[in-house]
Amino acid sequence: MPDLEKKSKISASRKLMLKSMMVAKAKEMLEQELMDKEEEKERYLAEKAPPVQTSRLSFDELQELCRELHAKIDMVDEERYDIEAKVLHNTREIKDLNIKVLDLRGKFKRPNLRRVRVSADAILRSLLGSKHKVSLDLRANLKSVKKEDTEKEKTVEVSDWRKNVEAMSGMEGRKKMFDAAKGSVQ
C-alpha cells in the first residue's frame, strides 16, 4: 500500500512537456522511416527493373522484349496466386484450431466456487500484514437499543380493541380519523 501513497516527483507541466516532446520525436522518427522505405523501394526497383532502352531497337526486337516482359509478368502472377492460396489455407487452419480450442474449453466442467467466510480481522491482517494488530469490531460500533423503551412503546399502543372498534364505527369514527390525520400533518 505505501507504493500508492508516493507522489510523483515530476510536476504536471513537466509531464506535459515531456509527453509533447516524445510525440514530436515519434513523429520525426515515423517520417524518417517512411522516407527510408521510399528510398529502399526506389533502390530495389532500379536494381531489379532497369530502365528499358527502346529507341535503338527494331520492331522484331521490341516484340521479343514484350514477350519476355509478359512471360515475367505471368510468372509473378503465378507466384502471387500460390502465396495467396497458402495464406488462405493457413487462415482456415487457424480458424479450425481456434474452434477446436474453444470446444476443448467447453468440455471441461468448471467447479462451483464456494463462498468463504472471512472475518474483518483476517482481511485486515492479510492486507496490512502480520505486523499490524488492528482489531475491527463492527458490533461495537453499532447503536445499542434499550429493551425497556421498546416495551413501553408497545404497552402504550395496546389498549382495549373493543372500545376502539365501537368508537371508530360509523361516520363519527371516520371523522375522528380524518381529524387525527389532519392534526398530525400540521
Side-chain angles (χ1 to χ4, degrees), residues 107-131:
K107 285 182 183 176
F108 298 107
K109 186 177 180 183
R110 292 183 181 93
N112 292 332
L113 298 176
R114 295 183 186 138
R115 178 169 286 177
V116 178
R117 292 183 182 234
V118 180
S119 67
D121 291 334
I123 292 172
L124 282 174
R125 252 186 273 120
S126 67
L127 289 174
L128 300 175
S130 60
K131 296 177 192 174

Side-chain angles (χ1 to χ4, degrees), residues 73-86:
I73 290 172
D74 290 341
M75 283 179 42
V76 170
D77 281 342
E78 288 175 9
E79 288 178 13
R80 184 177 51 89
Y81 178 78
D82 291 343
I83 291 172
E84 285 178 359
K86 285 180 184 178

Side-chain angles (χ1 to χ4, degrees), residues 97-111:
L97 290 174
N98 282 337
I99 290 171
K100 285 181 183 179
V101 166
L102 291 174
D103 288 344
L104 285 175
R105 280 187 194 163
K107 285 182 183 176
F108 298 107
K109 186 177 180 183
R110 292 183 181 93

Side-chain angles (χ1 to χ4, degrees), residues 11-24:
S11 67
S13 61
R14 176 93 171 130
K15 279 184 186 179
L16 185 64
M17 185 185 73
L18 288 173
K19 282 183 183 179
S20 63
M21 289 174 64
M22 288 173 57
V23 168

